[in-house]
Amino acid sequence: MKNITKAYLAALLYAFIIGFSFMFVKLALTVTSALDTLAHRFTVAFLITTIPVISGFVKLNISSKTILAILPIAIFYPALFFAFQAFGLVYTSSSEAGIIQAAIPIFTMILASYFLKEYTNIWQKISVLISVMGIIYIFVMNGMETHETSFIGIILILLSALSSACYNVLARKMTKKFKLIDLTYMMTTIGFLSFNLIAIIEHINKGTVNVYFKPFTNGTFLLSILYLGLLSSLLTAFLLNYSLSYIEAAKMSVFSNLSTLITIIAGILFLHEQIAYYHIVGAMLIILGIVGTNFWGKKGIYKKEKNTSISK
């Protein structure tokens, strides 16, 4: 019970950090491109995780066999998730992307029931749908952005959502086999290598390699990228893995919808965006869905599998 409580607190903190991250992404995008922002945030995360490893404060247990085992989930998240999302937003609006990505809990629930044999009763299934409908309702009432939507954009955002769902399911198993610090370090390294490689290739093609690190001279960008790298990339990866070591994948996935709600609240509080009645209605639906998914089940609500290999 004590560990499960910690896992839910970790899930809440994860949702809050991700929710506020969009505000810092907006600030970073006033200085550089989306791809460079992704590359730099994972560079910061990689450096911060590597320094204690090199100094000997953190000891990793990563062999070639471990890398091959962890590599698939690290590719799904963060590499494929963020890549599909970034390129998908080129062809579709953020509102449409938000609606599509609200399907992550549904994808996760389907995959978890098939691959993990996780039980969800009818009330939990309804709760997931309620949470998803809360997100869709807010976006629809807020109005769709003027943007030419293409089939390619929809497919890319769907692949992003599916990548997140696949990670939720795969990580649920991996957290039983490997230390959280090993998983987190591998995820950060994959993000660092993949996004920097893509960004540098793009700069080489444009002949702008000399300005690759120029954004770091901007104070606003530096503050934003530290938040995104240290908290939104590194800490959330650890929190997500920790939560999945105790909370079933379908239950954890609905916290992604809470992140969207936090993003809206952050916009109202700090960016002075207006609040409307549909924000409140949507928020109630999201919260009701999260509570229902996690606490209305009759089976496995507080069931914890044997876990002897995780170093907490």
Side-chain angles (χ1 to χ4, degrees):
M1 282 292 295
K2 185 178 179 180
N3 287 329
I4 291 172
T5 300
K6 289 181 180 179
Y8 276 110
L9 290 175
L12 286 171
L13 182 56
Y14 163 84
F16 270 84
I17 293 174
I18 292 295
F20 278 98
S21 70
F22 288 93
M23 183 174 65
F24 287 96
V25 168
K26 285 185 178 181
L27 291 173
L29 291 177
T30 63
V31 181
T32 189
S33 67
L35 185 56
D36 282 4
T37 299
L38 276 173
H40 292 323
R41 70 187 284 183
F42 278 96
T43 296
V44 170
F46 176 74
L47 290 175
I48 292 173
T49 54
T50 301
I51 290 173
V53 171
I54 294 176
S55 62
F57 287 106
V58 174
K59 296 187 180 297
L60 299 177
N61 185 25
I62 299 177
S63 62
S64 57
K65 187 176 180 180
T66 304
I67 293 174
L68 290 176
I70 297 176
L71 190 61
I73 68 169
I75 289 176
F76 276 118
Y77 185 95
L80 290 180
F81 172 75
F82 283 114
F84 284 135
Q85 184 185 76
F87 289 107
L89 285 170
V90 174
Y91 301 100
T92 187
S93 71
S94 60
S95 293
E96 291 161 330
I99 291 173
I100 295 170
Q101 290 211 316
I104 290 175
I106 296 177
F107 288 151
T108 303
M109 184 172 62
I110 294 171
L111 292 174
S113 65
Y114 183 79
F115 291 104
L116 301 179
K117 309 303 179 186
E118 287 186 0
Y119 173 86
T120 52
N121 62 30
I122 186 63
W123 292 110
Q124 289 173 302
K125 290 180 174 68
I126 291 174
S127 296
V128 169
L129 291 177
I130 289 174
S131 178
V132 171
M133 290 305 297
I135 293 291
I136 295 175
Y137 176 73
I138 289 174
F139 277 120
V140 170
M141 292 298 292
N142 201 43
M144 302 299 286
E145 298 173 18
T146 303
H147 196 292
E148 185 178 350
T149 305
S150 72
F151 180 72
I152 294 175
I154 293 173
I155 292 299
L156 289 172
I157 297 299
L158 276 174
L159 287 173
S160 175
L162 187 59
S163 297
S164 177
C166 288
Y167 173 80
N168 288 336
V169 172
L170 289 172
R172 176 73 174 152
K173 284 188 173 182
M174 289 299 180
T175 53
K176 309 298 177 185
K177 299 179 180 179
F178 302 103
K179 293 197 302 181
L180 297 183
I181 189 62
D182 293 343
L183 280 172
T184 303
Y185 189 81
M186 278 296 299
M187 289 169 60
T188 304
T189 302
I190 292 296
F192 164 72
L193 293 174
S194 57
F195 293 126
N196 272 281
L197 179 62
I198 297 171
I200 290 172
I201 290 174
E202 183 178 272
H203 277 282
I204 291 174
N205 291 333
K206 292 181 178 179
T208 56
V209 178
N210 60 312
V211 298
Y212 187 47
F213 292 105
K214 187 178 179 180
F216 283 95
T217 61
N218 183 285
T220 299
F221 177 83
L222 188 59
L223 175 64
S224 300
I225 214 66
L226 285 174
Y227 179 93
L228 295 172
L230 177 58
L231 299 181
S232 186
S233 296
L234 179 58
L235 182 57
T236 56
F238 184 86
L239 292 171
L240 180 59
N241 289 330
Y242 180 83
S243 298
L244 284 169
S245 68
Y246 288 101
I247 303 174
E248 294 170 19
K251 295 178 180 179
M252 179 60 197
S253 65
V254 293
F255 282 91
S256 63
N257 288 346
L258 179 60
S259 295
T260 304
L261 175 60
I262 299 301
T263 299
I264 295 170
I265 294 173
I268 293 168
L269 293 177
F270 298 102
L271 301 180
H272 307 294
E273 297 175 356
Q274 293 186 344
I275 186 172
Y277 72 92
Y278 54 81
H279 289 127
I280 298 174
V281 174
M284 292 173 64
L285 290 173
I286 293 167
I287 294 171
L288 179 61
I290 292 171
V291 172
T293 304
N294 285 277
F295 299 106
W296 286 355
K298 293 183 179 179
K299 288 186 179 180
I301 293 179
Y302 296 117
K303 178 182 178 182
K304 186 172 81 69
E305 299 172 23
K306 290 182 179 179
N307 185 357
T308 59
S309 61
I310 298 177
S311 176
K312 297 292 186 255

